[in-house]
Amino acid sequence: MQITTRLEFDAGHRIPSHKSQCRNLHGHRYVIEITLSGDIIQNEGASEQGMVMDFSDVKAIARQQVVDKWDHAFLVYKGDTAVLDFLKTMPDHKTVVMNSVPTAENMAAEAFRILDASYKDTYGNHLRLERVRLFETPNSWADALRNAD
Ligand SMILES: Nc1nc2c(c(=O)[nH]1)N=C([C@H](O)[C@H](O)COP(=O)(O)OP(=O)(O)OP(=O)(O)O)CN2
Ligand SMILES: [Zn+2]
């Protein structure tokens, strides 16, 4: 069985070497979808009986590990020294320095890496993260999949 939940956040970024307008500082209302697989929990009387995982718990972990860290932050590539140096001049600015250019693909991959370690199989129902889908706009998204290159 698979379940999916979605959260939204706002963040700024730029793609420093982009051929067109995406090299400019700008922001998105990102949407992140988290898909987990597992067996349906059968434990009689458990709060999670009939579920793979409680959606509220899925979202709480995603918020804590990713969404609250990225929301209203500026995501900057560590090699983008022009912007990084500028952001360092702003006291208390919420900046997230990424090891890769903050494209939808790299953000989905990074969220998958973080969240894969965060969803634990506490009920023995083979719970595991299967996919992180990250929408950069309503029309464009990237999927980070388990076992994908
Ligand atoms: N494969 C990717 N291509 C692009 C990415 C990306 O992350 N992966 N990112 C961008 C820019 O960040 C840009 O902000 C989004 O590009 P684009 O879809 O062209 O933007 P629009 O606002 O025109 O999108 P609509 O969906 O039409 O509103 C560029 N490419
Ligand atoms: Zn963009």
Side-chain angles (χ1 to χ4, degrees):
M1 177 66 69
Q2 288 193 342
I3 61 169
T4 301
T5 191
R6 73 160 49 197
L7 302 96
E8 301 185 11
F9 62 96
D10 302 286
H13 82 148
R14 80 164 183 144
I15 301 174
S17 303
H18 192 256
K19 62 187 173 195
S20 183
Q21 59 182 358
C22 298
R23 65 169 54 234
N24 299 314
L25 305 181
H26 65 283
H28 295 281
R29 176 73 175 173
Y30 288 96
V31 176
I32 184 168
E33 289 183 354
I34 294 145
T35 299
L36 300 166
S37 67
D39 303 327
I40 298 173
I41 294 165
Q42 305 294 348
N43 301 31
E44 200 65 39
S47 174
E48 295 82 2
Q49 185 179 8
M51 305 174 185
V52 171
M53 184 174 178
D54 192 317
F55 288 132
S56 63
D57 294 333
V58 180
K59 286 186 277 195
I61 288 172
R63 277 193 202 100
Q64 185 183 40
Q65 298 297 325
V66 174
V67 171
D68 289 352
K69 291 182 167 69
W70 290 359
D71 189 34
H72 285 81
F74 195 93
L75 278 55
V76 58
Y77 173 43
K78 67 179 181 185
D80 188 357
T81 51
V83 172
L84 197 51
D85 290 346
F86 164 68
L87 292 172
K88 283 178 184 165
T89 68
M90 301 184 71
D92 300 324
H93 190 270
K94 190 172 176 183
T95 301
V96 174
V97 181
M98 296 192 63
N99 288 326
S100 52
V101 175
T103 58
E105 292 92 326
N106 284 334
M107 290 172 65
E110 176 66 0
F112 191 102
R113 190 188 63 73
I114 295 167
L115 293 173
D116 194 31
S118 304
Y119 290 110
K120 309 282 187 203
D121 183 5
T122 50
Y123 273 94
N125 67 332
H126 308 111
L127 181 83
R128 67 178 197 176
L129 182 64
E130 293 293 345
R131 186 187 77 189
V132 171
R133 173 168 286 180
L134 191 109
F135 289 82
E136 191 172 75
T137 75
N139 305 312
S140 303
W141 65 88
D143 287 339
L145 303 168
R146 178 170 297 287
N147 301 328
D149 291 329

